[in-house]
Amino acid sequence: MKAVLTRVSEASVTVDGEVVGEINCPDTGGLLALVGIATADADDPAPKVEKMARKIAELRILDGEVSVEEAGAPVLLVSQFTLYGRTAKGRRPSWSDAAPGSVAEPLIEDIAKQLRERGIQVEQGRFGAMMKVASVNEGPFTVLVET
């Protein structure tokens, strides 16, 4: 699994003109979490899901070096298979390392569930849809997390 975590003051996902997920957190800040699932993540996924949820919740990357969990800040979670695009050869990315939707969607839902169980407000994109993701990045501050 890979995630790109960006500190934001607001972020939203729109599908077919409808906002399906949105966070607005100018006081605490929040995270836009773009999460990619690899084909290999299907093998024993529970520890990988737990680790990714823990990283999203506990990394001290908000202003003042606090975590989302500590600040009571929200997360906008968006599935992003393109994080597994390989670009070493040619001019067209290869998506062969990205998990198919039947594997990735339940794992994304498990990450969201674990974050919610920690008391974190989680908004989501719509799996498999053409999404427009908008964000106001703070810093900018972006990190890559790999499990």
Side-chain angles (χ1 to χ4, degrees):
M1 282 181 206
K2 291 182 184 180
V4 174
L5 304 180
T6 302
R7 189 167 66 191
V8 298
S9 57
E10 60 186 81
S12 64
V13 176
T14 303
V15 176
D16 295 329
E18 173 193 359
V19 175
V20 297
E22 179 177 37
I23 60 173
N24 190 341
C25 42
D27 295 332
T28 61
L31 289 182
L32 170 59
L34 305 175
V35 179
I37 307 295
T39 303
D41 292 329
D43 300 328
D44 194 23
K48 298 168 191 169
V49 166
E50 190 277 329
K51 184 174 183 179
M52 183 58 74
R54 187 176 74 246
K55 289 290 188 179
I56 293 170
E58 296 179 7
L59 277 176
R60 301 171 71 89
I61 58 176
L62 294 183
D63 193 33
E65 294 186 15
V66 297
S67 69
V68 165
E69 194 169 46
E70 292 167 328
V75 173
L76 177 57
L77 179 66
V78 180
S79 176
Q80 187 76 38
F81 79 92
T82 59
L83 292 177
Y84 279 97
R86 283 190 287 142
T87 59
K89 293 182 181 180
R91 298 181 297 152
R92 184 174 296 157
S94 167
W95 310 115
S96 61
D97 292 339
S102 60
V103 171
E105 186 173 13
L107 299 183
I108 293 291
E109 291 303 322
D110 287 348
I111 292 168
K113 180 182 176 194
Q114 287 194 21
L115 291 170
R116 288 184 180 112
E117 287 172 352
R118 289 170 166 262
I120 296 168
Q121 175 196 342
V122 179
E123 296 290 325
Q124 290 181 256
R126 185 171 295 154
F127 194 90
M130 179 58 74
M131 296 178 275
K132 292 184 179 182
V133 180
S135 64
V136 177
N137 299 352
E138 293 293 323
F141 194 102
T142 302
V143 296
L144 177 64
V145 176
E146 295 183 78
T147 61

